[in-house]
Amino acid sequence: MPFRRRRELVCRQAVALMTDYLDGALSARDRARLEEHLAECPHCHEYLAQIQATVVAAGRVEPDDLPPAALEELVSLYREWRTG
Amino acid sequence: MLLDALRDGDEAAFASLVSRHHTRLLRFAESLVPSRAVAEEVVQDTWLGVVRGIDRFEGRSSVKTWLFRILINRARTAGARELRHASLGDEDGLDGRFDAAGRWEDGLLPWADAVDARVVADKLAGRVKECLPHLPDAQRQVLTLRDIEGVDAADVCALLGVSAGNQRVLLHRARTRIRSILEEEMGGG
């Protein structure tokens, strides 16, 4: 049986694997191929960092403040529900 | 503990829970139902569900996950589409960026490191928030739960009734789209 080289990833493929990679959902083989590609490709390395930065930015999205009147209304409803 | 206080009918505990979670529930509800008005009704209904269901809550999931679960059930009653039948959305939109061999045509503007600065992270968070209504519903729901609310993958799959694989495809497409918007914001793309 002839020896077969491990198939290397091209950038488009590497990008497609990145969400699975960050979730730890890649096979050991694919993880190794991706990490090898990332070590050699500064663009994909930056792209992954940008995806991670996107996740960081999303994590900083705060919920809106609750207007006091809205809270009051819900607390009134709560009283009704508890006594009803 | 907050849950014990809630079970005892402690109004302050309820007010505290509402203060913490009402607007995030409303934000998520808007990704489930067609209008703000329906979203507000669904969230109000959710709080009623909380009051009625507090005795049954065993604390095995986080309070937040429990609230989302009640919300999603209420939204379905109000007519929200089953997510498992939703389209996965567009392809990742990177088509023009690669050459025929699958390599990047051009380099990328490097901006990831800049997000270490809080002022930049907050500016980009504002952009993410603006973009959300423009994502396809299913992508918006997954991105909101995973990346904004920090709900773990297994819980998101259970909440939305999607497979782990589909959840990742949706998340991938949502993140890809948001990244390219942030890239524009940072002066690239």
Side-chain angles (χ1 to χ4, degrees):
Chain A
M1 189 99 146
F3 178 74
R4 295 180 64 191
R5 278 194 60 189
R6 214 161 33 131
R7 204 159 49 88
E8 290 171 3
L9 292 180
V10 289
C11 302
R12 188 193 256 284
Q13 294 168 314
V15 163
L17 292 179
M18 285 182 186
T19 299
D20 286 1
Y21 176 65
L22 292 174
D23 267 10
L26 290 182
S27 67
R29 178 173 172 268
D30 280 346
R31 187 170 69 245
R33 288 164 78 205
L34 179 59
E35 287 175 350
E36 184 176 317
H37 180 84
L38 290 170
E40 293 166 354
C41 179
H43 303 317
C44 285
H45 180 88
E46 172 64 21
Y47 186 88
L48 178 63
Q50 289 179 10
I51 290 289
Q52 289 170 307
T54 300
V55 176
V56 165
R60 295 193 68 78
V61 176
E62 291 294 331
D64 295 333
D65 290 329
L66 181 64
L71 175 60
E72 268 306 309
E73 194 182 313
L74 286 161
V75 170
S76 301
L77 279 170
Y78 178 73
R79 289 180 194 135
E80 281 177 38
W81 294 334
R82 298 246 343 130
T83 59
Chain B
M1 295 298 293
L2 182 70
L3 293 177
D4 293 332
L6 273 173
R7 286 190 190 99
D8 291 340
D10 183 324
E11 191 178 286
F14 180 74
S16 170
L17 196 67
V18 168
S19 296
R20 258 188 267 172
H21 295 295
H22 183 79
T23 58
R24 80 175 76 244
L25 291 177
L26 199 49
R27 172 171 68 195
F28 186 66
E30 288 184 284
S31 73
L32 295 173
V33 296
S35 75
R36 172 83 176 191
V38 175
E40 286 176 353
E41 280 175 26
V42 167
V43 176
Q44 193 173 290
D45 229 19
T46 298
W47 290 121
L48 177 56
V50 166
V51 170
R52 291 203 176 132
I54 185 63
D55 290 336
R56 284 194 305 279
F57 178 54
E58 290 166 25
R60 272 181 298 177
S61 66
S62 70
V63 170
K64 196 160 72 167
T65 302
W66 177 59
L67 293 175
F68 281 128
R69 192 177 316 126
I70 297 173
L71 172 65
I72 288 166
N73 287 334
R74 290 294 180 277
R76 287 195 178 128
T77 305
R81 274 182 316 131
E82 289 288 334
L83 186 54
R84 68 174 64 85
H85 302 306
S87 111
L88 293 176
D90 300 336
E91 280 306 320
D92 61 27
L94 286 171
D95 280 347
R97 303 292 296 263
F98 299 106
D99 65 22
R103 289 180 300 249
W104 289 97
E105 278 277 10
D106 304 307
L108 287 112
L109 177 82
W111 56 264
D113 283 348
V115 180
D116 289 342
R118 178 166 293 187
V119 64
V120 175
D122 286 347
K123 178 178 77 162
L124 294 186
R127 251 346 244 127
V128 173
K129 189 170 169 176
E130 283 167 13
C131 293
L132 284 178
H134 304 293
L135 289 176
D137 287 345
Q139 291 181 22
R140 179 180 178 180
Q141 288 161 27
V142 173
L143 186 90
T144 300
L145 288 178
R146 283 291 311 267
D147 290 352
I148 297 178
E149 300 291 354
V151 179
D152 74 44
D155 281 349
V156 173
C157 291
L159 283 169
L160 298 179
V162 293
S163 69
N166 275 1
Q167 186 241 180
R168 281 195 301 272
V169 170
L170 289 166
L171 185 60
H172 183 81
R173 288 181 178 168
R175 284 177 177 171
T176 300
R177 193 182 285 227
I178 302 274
R179 187 220 64 95
S180 74
I181 289 167
L182 298 187
E183 180 180 62
E184 278 177 37
E185 181 69 24
M186 296 299 282

